[in-house]
Amino acid sequence: MLIEHAKRRFKSQRRWKTLKIVIVSFILIVIVTSNGFYLFVSQMANAYEGRYYPQGSMVVDGVNSTLFSKILAQSKMPHIAGYTELDRLVNGSYTVECAGFEVNIPPEEIVGVTEKYFTLFHMRIVAGSAMQGSRDVVLGTAIFNDLKSNIPGFGVGSRFTISAGNVEKNLTVVGVVSSGRPGSAVLETMSWQIIDYGVFVNNRTLLQLFGTENITPYLIVKPDSGYELLVYYELNSKFKYVDYPGLVEFRDKDALAWLGYFLNLLTYSALISGALAIFASAVTQIKYSETEFGVFKCAGISSSKIFLILLLETLFLLEISLVIIFLISGFFLFGLLSLSGMGMPLTEIVIYGFVKPVIMVLAILMVYPIYGVIKYYLTAPAKMLRN
Amino acid sequence: MIGRMILPTPVHQILTILVVLLLASVFTIIYSSENGLKDQDISTFGSNTIYGEYVYYMGFDESQREKIEKTMGKVTSRYPYLKEYTIYITNSTISLISVNKDEISLNTREIFVLNTSVCNALNFRYLKAPTATSGIILGYEIYRALLATGPLSKLHIFLKTNESEIFNYTGRVIGVIGPTPSDSVNAGIFVVEKKISIAHEYLYPKYVVFKYPAEYREYRYALAQDLNERGIPIMTPQESHTAELFVEILNFAAIFTGISLLFAIGTYSFISKKIWLKELAIAILSGSGEIKVFIWMFLRSLIVVLVAIPIGTLLGVFAFNYIISYLPPTYYFYFNPQPVSEEILLLNLIFAIIAIFFITLFVFKRARKRTTIEIIREVFY
């Protein structure tokens, strides 16, 4: 009965219905566009957030820990939580043998580290343990998986032999470290940032194998939390090559906040003006319904039933608006497909591309039944009928 | 008569005033944001400027400086409308900043000194506008970096060479510059003083900024090329196109709000149609001409609009300024908040007046189709 009546009401008052559908479709387009665009840009901005490097840390190139500690003692840099030296191989040929197989590893992937590297930066050990001594080697998860699939029986505890010239070192794989980033996005990163493809050996071992002339040191510095930018500027005043990957992230997040402001401005202005337009139409629509409401009131129909009738009428309208923009403009579909094509999680697409816009629009459409029921409750039946 | 027309329906009038007021304020916010994004001149030192950056200051000797100053003189005499401003750094080797009991050693190339009048002339885009004429103005990123030490009030700057102290300065942080395309300005500490107390031999030009009148904006590339040919390497302002999409979106929102405004005024007319008809009938009965009746009907809506639009615009201006003061700065979308002009008020008014004109005409034309006696019967019985 209620549904029938709501349908009848919905079929009449064509002018208002059309106007409301136009308003609702407009608002839905605005909200979906802004949500979709924000998701798209935030996805791009968050691409920097992989933990290729220990979070918040910075790199000082061409400096060893002895020199760094000397400079640190001379100048005041109180906000450095810790630092560790890493060694990069720049010259020299070598062979790597593992369980009878000769393994080809590019020289830039062999990194000499100290035990401190794993503890100071809380490296993500996915199997085994961190490096304990000079005979240990830790592998990046990608190279570990490559070796595992090609060498039968390879795993944590396997022997690993590196020979450079006349020097040969027998090492044991003690752990596997991961950047936490799925896929092979590591290709986009700088050589010092390689975690997934890195072969981490003790820097004393690297020195014994290749000698000082073939390796170049660099430092990873960890600032106190919140002092990253300040430490970056301090390091910049002392050293020539300082790299702080977090700076890009910091700038991106600022820009994202700005974008969020603009899109919010757009969404809320559309919602406010839409709500006001819906209210204006509600006033007129209810005015046209006064005779009908007067009869209802005389018949003793409760306010809750009137609210339900108006709510159903509103839901029909929302349904039609959704169908219109789905089928005619294809806007939702296009937006959702392009977002899913970018690898956006489906739940986020559904929430921001569908659930949130529909809830927001429904909220402003509720102006109509709420105004209607208040008017119904407050106006005397005789006054309604007289009008 | 107008009073008599307004008073019988005070609730509707107030409601309409509120609706029009809110829509006018939303329109003002959107329009102001759109204008802020439209200005694409994102020069580091404010609009209508080009600048030369001297990065070889460490190897700078007196003769080189004289040569540059001479060339500058030639250029500025050739282009009399061009104004030249210099921002200096010192040839210090040690720079220490004391802030909130922390002593920080910063890059000596990023501590700038400039004259108050130069600072005023440059129109920096500030995150926090200077509160005094002299003190310390921080670049956006160094401000964020120093904030880690606590709230920033005073800074002590100590510059020295290996042999002697050249600058010892304590000053208040008076302002913060928003992000610029220049990393060095973002990381810069600007000491602004009426008279700079550093000996001339320690001062080296870092930036020489040329400011041209706005009407010469189209010639800025030619001007920069001319200066480059004379041995002054000039950076021309960048133009940001990233904002175009936002301008389009905001345009759409402004149109959307405008349509809502029209819709609100239309509804107001429908609600008060009966009162209009009654007034029309009385006016016709009392012998008023049709044009006069139309004018009275128009004036009636005009009162509502004249009350609502200015208040709404003012509300929008306040809301916009409030929002802007809490805005996160940006690196990619350069936003130049423009002072809110009377243009918005005018636009709001024009839009509303056009709307009420057509709506009044529409109601009046429909009413004219009936005889006076029909109208009176409809209204009173």
Side-chain angles (χ1 to χ4, degrees):
Chain A
M1 177 67 190
L2 284 178
I3 296 171
E4 284 304 311
H5 194 79
K7 266 187 186 171
R8 208 169 57 241
R9 276 186 63 82
F10 184 69
K11 279 175 185 166
S12 64
Q13 301 184 1
R14 278 186 194 160
R15 187 175 51 191
W16 298 110
K17 188 176 71 192
T18 317
L19 272 169
K20 273 192 190 174
I21 287 172
V22 169
I23 293 168
V24 171
S25 307
F26 263 139
I27 297 168
L28 274 171
I29 288 172
V30 170
I31 299 173
V32 175
T33 316
S34 47
N35 278 351
F37 193 63
Y38 186 78
L39 276 181
F40 171 74
V41 179
S42 60
Q43 184 86 345
M44 273 165 49
N46 289 335
Y48 293 104
E49 279 186 28
R51 291 172 66 87
Y52 306 132
Y53 50 89
Q55 200 76 18
S57 64
M58 41 207 76
V59 178
V60 184
D61 226 344
V63 176
N64 62 30
S65 51
T66 320
L67 178 66
F68 189 75
S69 61
K70 211 171 154 186
I71 292 172
L72 213 61
Q74 281 167 2
S75 54
K76 293 173 182 173
M77 282 195 256
H79 301 297
I80 291 175
Y83 60 92
T84 182
E85 182 183 324
L86 279 79
D87 295 310
R88 182 192 296 138
L89 188 60
V90 284
N91 282 313
S93 58
Y94 60 90
T95 52
V96 175
E97 202 193 290
C98 187
F101 288 84
E102 203 159 281
V103 183
N104 185 22
I105 297 171
E108 64 267 22
E109 282 166 16
I110 290 195
V111 185
V113 294
T114 60
E115 292 85 350
K116 206 175 162 187
Y117 175 68
F118 296 92
T119 49
L120 185 65
F121 296 108
H122 307 291
M123 297 301 287
R124 199 162 165 246
I125 308 281
V126 288
S129 61
M131 187 182 283
Q132 308 288 327
S134 63
R135 289 189 174 273
D136 293 346
V137 62
V138 172
L139 299 177
T141 177
I143 195 164
F144 179 79
N145 288 335
D146 274 2
L147 294 174
K148 202 175 175 184
S149 57
N150 289 310
I151 302 172
F154 182 80
V156 173
S158 294
R159 305 288 285 174
F160 206 82
T161 309
I162 303 179
S163 320
N166 298 325
V167 191
E168 188 180 291
K169 283 278 172 188
N170 286 322
L171 308 169
T172 311
V173 177
V174 292
V176 183
V177 70
S178 167
S179 68
R181 189 89 182 164
S184 57
V186 76
L187 290 174
E188 298 162 17
T189 68
M190 287 163 58
S191 59
W192 65 265
Q193 292 166 340
I194 289 175
I195 292 175
D196 289 343
Y197 279 83
V199 174
F200 299 96
V201 298
N202 193 291
N203 54 5
R204 290 191 298 277
T205 308
L206 202 71
L207 197 72
Q208 284 162 9
L209 278 164
F210 300 101
T212 43
E213 67 277 9
N214 292 323
I215 56 174
T216 181
Y218 62 105
L219 282 165
I220 295 194
V221 180
K222 187 185 181 185
D224 286 336
S225 176
Y227 286 90
E228 289 86 355
L229 209 52
L230 190 62
V231 170
Y232 170 65
Y233 284 124
E234 286 187 295
L235 289 175
N236 243 320
S237 70
K238 297 275 174 268
F239 303 98
K240 205 170 180 184
Y241 303 107
V242 183
D243 191 10
Y244 173 37
L247 192 61
V248 181
E249 196 181 314
F250 163 79
R251 288 173 177 170
D252 275 349
K253 283 191 171 158
D254 254 21
L256 200 63
W258 170 261
L259 178 70
Y261 155 76
F262 261 97
L263 295 178
N264 272 340
L265 172 72
L266 181 71
T267 307
Y268 288 108
S269 64
L271 283 177
I272 290 170
S273 50
L276 290 173
I278 297 276
F279 178 69
S281 84
V283 171
T284 320
Q285 255 185 300
I286 299 297
K287 193 127 190 110
Y288 283 144
S289 310
E290 277 190 344
T291 318
E292 188 184 357
F293 280 10
V295 174
F296 281 160
K297 201 146 189 184
C298 287
I301 307 258
S302 67
S303 302
S304 57
K305 276 190 179 158
I306 295 296
F307 179 76
L308 275 175
I309 290 170
L310 297 177
L311 180 67
L312 283 170
E313 200 186 325
T314 304
L315 290 176
F316 290 145
L317 188 104
L318 182 63
E319 194 185 346
I320 286 184
S321 301
L322 283 171
V323 168
I324 285 174
I325 51 170
F326 253 123
L327 298 181
I328 299 176
S329 79
F331 195 84
F332 268 170
L333 220 54
F334 172 74
L336 300 186
L337 283 176
S338 52
L339 285 176
S340 66
M342 282 163 39
M344 193 82 70
L346 193 69
T347 43
E348 271 189 37
I349 298 172
V350 174
I351 291 169
Y352 292 100
F354 186 77
V355 178
K356 201 179 152 195
V358 170
I359 289 174
M360 280 176 148
V361 167
L362 187 63
I364 66 154
L365 278 176
M366 289 305 283
V367 167
Y368 172 62
I370 290 170
Y371 174 77
V373 83
I374 290 171
K375 186 88 181 164
Y376 181 79
Y377 183 76
L378 293 179
T379 318
K383 199 181 172 198
M384 282 184 182
L385 287 172
R386 190 165 60 238
N387 282 343
Chain B
M1 184 164 172
I2 291 168
R4 197 156 51 76
M5 285 169 130
I6 296 282
L7 287 174
T9 52
V11 177
H12 286 149
Q13 311 292 343
I14 291 167
L15 209 66
T16 313
I17 287 174
L18 277 177
V19 169
V20 174
L21 181 145
L22 269 173
L23 286 172
S25 60
V26 169
F27 184 82
T28 308
I29 295 171
I30 294 174
Y31 191 81
S32 310
S33 307
E34 193 193 314
N35 269 357
L37 277 171
K38 260 183 191 166
D39 189 352
Q40 293 184 342
D41 185 350
I42 52 166
S43 172
T44 304
F45 297 100
S47 51
N48 306 326
T49 58
I50 48 178
Y51 66 97
E53 185 177 0
Y54 296 90
V55 286
Y56 45 90
Y57 86 105
M58 286 303 272
F60 228 62
D61 60 29
E62 244 354 83
S63 64
Q64 275 175 303
R65 183 160 65 184
E66 272 171 26
K67 199 178 154 195
I68 283 183
E69 280 170 0
K70 224 173 179 177
T71 323
M72 298 284 185
K74 273 184 193 168
V75 172
T76 40
S77 62
R78 190 177 144 92
Y79 301 98
Y81 55 81
L82 210 59
K83 290 210 168 94
E84 177 211 321
Y85 306 101
T86 311
I87 298 172
Y88 295 96
I89 47 171
T90 62
N91 66 344
S92 57
T93 45
I94 296 165
S95 60
L96 290 171
I97 313 290
S98 298
V99 51
N100 294 331
K101 293 175 189 169
D102 256 320
E103 197 160 80
I104 299 149
S105 166
L106 291 175
N107 202 324
T108 53
R109 280 159 293 172
E110 276 149 10
I111 294 162
F112 306 103
V113 276
L114 73 162
N115 199 286
T116 303
S117 59
V118 172
C119 183
N120 290 340
L122 286 178
N123 302 332
F124 274 117
R125 216 162 284 132
Y126 290 105
L127 181 75
K128 288 183 180 173
T131 49
T133 49
S134 56
I136 293 165
I137 295 176
L138 297 174
Y140 174 64
E141 278 176 9
I142 194 73
Y143 165 70
R144 293 283 294 263
L146 291 175
L147 263 184
T149 62
L152 300 175
S153 54
K154 268 190 179 174
L155 240 71
H156 176 76
I157 298 171
F158 179 69
L159 304 175
K160 61 178 269 189
T161 59
N162 290 334
E163 298 87 35
S164 58
E165 173 191 317
I166 56 172
F167 191 48
N168 198 337
Y169 179 85
T170 304
R172 262 187 340 113
V173 176
I174 56 165
V176 180
I177 301 167
T180 70
S182 162
D183 285 347
S184 153
V185 171
N186 292 343
I189 295 176
F190 294 79
V191 179
V192 184
E193 273 300 322
K194 279 178 192 156
K195 200 163 183 286
I196 298 155
S197 57
I198 303 176
H200 188 64
E201 67 260 30
Y202 293 123
L203 286 174
Y204 286 86
K206 169 74 177 174
Y207 293 110
V208 179
V209 185
F210 297 96
K211 194 172 181 187
Y212 48 84
E215 58 268 30
Y216 286 90
R217 199 176 163 192
E218 295 306 313
Y219 297 104
R220 62 192 185 280
Y221 296 109
L223 197 66
Q225 200 183 340
D226 197 355
L227 289 162
N228 277 332
E229 279 166 10
R230 287 161 183 276
I232 304 170
I234 292 294
M235 323 277 277
T236 48
Q238 296 175 33
E239 284 191 357
S240 163
H241 295 287
T242 41
E244 275 172 11
L245 179 68
F246 295 100
V247 173
E248 290 300 317
I249 293 173
L250 290 173
N251 257 330
F252 174 71
I255 293 167
F256 188 61
T257 319
I259 292 168
S260 304
L261 188 65
L262 193 86
F263 197 37
I265 294 171
T267 311
Y268 156 74
S269 307
F270 280 114
I271 293 165
S272 47
K273 197 172 78 181
K274 272 191 178 173
I275 303 156
W276 282 28
L277 289 176
K278 188 167 74 182
E279 293 300 332
L280 189 67
I282 292 167
I284 293 169
L285 276 176
S286 63
S288 292
E290 280 184 350
I291 300 292
K292 204 172 179 186
V293 170
F294 174 78
I295 291 170
W296 279 119
M297 286 170 73
F298 179 76
L299 284 177
R300 183 175 186 271
S301 302
L302 196 63
I303 290 169
V304 174
V305 164
L306 286 179
V307 172
I309 297 277
I311 301 174
T313 309
L314 208 63
L315 197 74
V317 170
F318 283 132
F320 177 75
N321 289 338
Y322 183 78
I323 293 166
I324 285 299
S325 61
Y326 286 95
L327 253 186
T330 174
Y331 292 89
Y332 304 130
F333 313 105
Y334 288 92
F335 186 80
N336 304 325
Q338 306 290 315
V340 184
S341 63
E342 61 277 12
E343 195 185 339
I344 301 166
L345 180 67
L346 211 66
L347 264 174
N348 267 331
L349 275 176
I350 290 171
F351 203 80
I353 288 170
I354 290 173
I356 59 168
F357 175 79
F358 282 108
I359 288 157
T360 314
L361 195 68
F362 174 69
V363 174
F364 182 68
K365 275 192 168 175
R366 288 192 68 171
R368 270 181 67 196
K369 283 179 185 167
R370 300 171 207 189
T371 60
T372 315
I373 203 73
E374 271 176 344
I375 295 169
I376 292 171
R377 191 183 299 131
E378 191 181 316
V379 173
F380 292 105
Y381 301 100

